[in-house]
Amino acid sequence: MREFDGLAVNSGKVLAPACLYSSNLHKAIDEYDITGGQIESELLRFDKALIDSSRELETISLRVADKVGNVESEIFMAQKHIMNDDSIVRQIREGIRGKKKNAEAVIFQVYREFEERFKAMDNVYLRERGADIREIRRRLLDNLKQEKRGFACEGQSHCQRGANRIIVAEEFTADMMAHMNFERVRGFATEHGGVSSHAAIIARALGIPAVSGLHGITQTVKCSDIVLVDGDSGRVYHMPSEETIKKVITVVDVQARAKCMIASPPGTEVLANASIFEDAHQARLLKADGIGLFRTEIMFIREDRLLTEDEQFERYKNIVGEMGNRPVTFRLLDVGGDKPLPFLRIQKESNPYLGWRGARFLLGNPDIFHIQVRALARVALLGKIKILFPMVVDERQQKELVDGVRGFVQAVPGAAENLQLGAMFEVPSACMQAQLIFKHVDFGSIGSNDLIQYLFAVDRNNEQVSADYNPEHPILWKLLADLVAASSEAGKPLSICGEMAGREGFAKRLLDIGIKSLSVSPRLIPQVRTEMMEYYDDGASVGKPEHRTEARA
Ligand code: PEP
Ligand code: MG
């Protein structure tokens, strides 16, 4: 048995066989000399890799044309043309012949020089093409070395593509999503947190345990090895002993608890965070008081394209239908930062977390924004819904967002009565202007995941700085208490939908400062309700005194 310590990305514990996924980044390239007699066979290897890679790009291009659109599909045809460009092909062939080096080394060098030239260009569009050059190089090297991105045992009859398995990988990448059977994945264990944090988002969306920052795990674990992921402590066990399993996984029968937990204590609400229909289904089974956060962007990420108004309407309608008469809060597309929509090919930013994201993205893309609002206004005729604005920065922006919505809601007679608008408090400047923001909306929701990130200038996905990502910090609790005061002054409800609401012991502390509406991963609903019951049974005297004192100071 071997233990790995990492960063807890999503809570929960799971024991299952591993599925090893490889995203070959070709960080180390073999370089060796070849003899005169080997030149021809090396050139043949290169030619074969070129033909195989061109075929792959044609196939991808056709698939993308069918699923996304012709403009997007041209990206791949353009890559094919660059790859087959006479002067590049000549340089590589001459490099192999003249320098008597292996094809991998020559390809790596030629494409690196080419990439450097793109990087130095003034024109942003051309500079961006450096990413295409990297992709082409990676594809050629994959084919040359006959290594594939994908599951280690892909193509073999026993390969489950992640179903009922724990995915072990270097990093969670976008191409992984296309490969895996991710609705049935049981857990994630990755070496790196990942710049794009897709892992965290998907793991949370699916409610599955995940740990990152596990250095060396991909070298140790083999496909089908038994792995135990403890997403609460951030520890992962390779081939755990019976004793360890018993120690880590204590039997909690969620279903049995759910049966006796059919309602939240009076005056409180326990809502569900959801991203896919299955979450809503689970939320209904667990008798959630509604959906407090439906992350609509996950739908777009999964489908890898924009959805039309009708397509969105159908999907939202199903969620509302599943929840019966319980309210559903749809958050408008929260893209950018850790949730890029790759198919939009947004200009690359050096600091995406502070860039073109959330509310800024919506206001800068009125077509996308308005199509979504129109779909939601139609859904409001079917049941009570709420629209939540992501990453609001200040009052001016909040007003602009509300103005952008109003006309579309009024255009659907009867929609306004069933629809409320809310602001997400996840940027410190918005929290400090909460009274003004409340004037424009009907409710507020605290996005503590990002709020902690921006308050303490700490990347929520970077395992190296996780010590500073501290939901216990008194400064955070002071800010939360200020938000509670602003909401009661405005007479507008306030809830919390960040992960800290589901953290053990936090429901009591949140009740203690006056936050009575908590939205959590569906599987945490029974636990949160139990804590709430205990809070009132204990005479409401809980929480660490220092937090209460600070929060109320
Ligand atoms: C948050 O930031 O707390 C939140 C709920 O949104 P997300 O995790 O999707 O950024
Ligand atoms: Mg957020």
Side-chain angles (χ1 to χ4, degrees), residues 201 204 293 295 297 331 334 338-339 357 390-391 424 426 447-451 453-454 460 497:
I201 301 291
R204 260 185 276 135
L293 171 69
R295 291 182 165 98
E297 61 279 359
R331 179 173 69 187
D334 182 17
D338 57 356
K339 287 171 289 191
R357 60 171 310 188
M391 300 292 299
M424 269 195 97
E426 44 187 349
S448 53
N449 304 337
D450 277 311
L451 183 56
Q453 159 162 271
Y454 293 120
R460 65 191 256 191
C497 60

Side-chain angles (χ1 to χ4, degrees), residues 214-403:
L214 302 161
H215 302 294
I217 192 157
T218 54
Q219 254 81 63
T220 308
V221 176
K222 305 269 171 301
C223 261
S224 303
D225 283 359
I226 298 296
V227 172
L228 169 57
V229 171
D230 181 352
D232 300 324
S233 69
R235 186 161 287 183
V236 170
Y237 305 80
H238 175 227
M239 300 296 209
S241 63
E242 281 300 315
E243 209 187 330
T244 306
I245 297 170
K246 274 198 207 120
K247 206 172 71 203
V248 175
I249 305 186
T250 49
V251 182
V252 180
D253 190 340
V254 172
Q255 298 286 3
R257 272 168 75 187
K259 274 190 198 135
C260 51
M261 297 297 299
I262 50 167
S264 307
T268 70
E269 272 184 330
V270 183
L271 306 154
N273 288 348
S275 306
I276 53 176
F277 180 83
E278 286 71 21
D279 293 337
H281 179 65
Q282 214 190 338
R284 184 173 65 79
L285 293 181
L286 292 166
K287 300 199 169 21
D289 296 307
I291 291 189
L293 171 69
F294 188 87
R295 291 182 165 98
T296 59
E297 61 279 359
I298 301 297
M299 251 167 37
F300 293 74
I301 292 174
R302 285 181 63 189
E303 305 238 1
D304 206 19
R305 66 185 174 93
L306 286 175
L307 300 173
T308 64
E309 181 187 321
D310 285 346
E311 287 172 331
Q312 292 189 45
F313 171 76
E314 282 304 316
R315 287 159 176 78
Y316 303 147
K317 186 180 87 178
N318 291 342
I319 304 291
V320 169
E322 181 66 13
M323 293 310 289
N325 55 4
R326 299 181 186 215
V328 179
T329 305
F330 291 99
R331 179 173 69 187
L332 295 179
L333 261 183
D334 182 17
V335 301
D338 57 356
K339 287 171 289 191
L341 292 182
F343 57 87
L344 287 182
R345 298 183 70 76
I346 295 167
Q347 184 183 319
K348 190 169 166 19
E349 300 171 295
S350 56
N351 197 341
Y353 291 91
L354 306 181
W356 189 239
R357 60 171 310 188
R360 286 185 198 123
F361 174 88
L362 292 172
L363 291 171
N365 289 281
D367 289 351
I368 297 177
F369 176 23
H370 295 154
I371 285 176
Q372 189 170 28
V373 173
R374 280 208 301 263
L376 288 168
R378 285 165 60 195
V379 175
L381 297 180
L382 309 173
K384 289 211 178 305
I385 65 162
K386 301 181 188 188
I387 290 184
L388 193 54
F389 299 101
M391 300 292 299
V392 176
V393 166
D394 61 9
E395 188 213 1
R396 174 202 53 80
Q397 196 186 51
Q398 182 61 71
K399 181 171 178 321
E400 218 180 310
L401 287 162
V402 171
D403 289 345

Side-chain angles (χ1 to χ4, degrees), residues 57 60-61 64-65 68-82 125 129 131-132 135-136 342-345:
L57 284 168
I60 296 176
S61 174
V64 172
V68 189
N70 289 331
V71 178
E72 291 79 4
S73 78
E74 276 165 20
I75 298 160
F76 301 96
M77 287 316 276
Q79 288 190 1
K80 186 189 142 191
H81 289 306
I82 297 173
Y125 178 79
R129 303 285 63 75
D132 289 321
E135 261 313 296
I136 297 170
F343 57 87
L344 287 182
R345 298 183 70 76

Side-chain angles (χ1 to χ4, degrees), residues 12 23 56 123 165 216 235 291 385 441 509:
S23 284
E56 274 177 19
N123 181 306
R165 297 279 190 280
R235 186 161 287 183
I291 291 189
I385 65 162
V441 292
R509 293 190 199 172

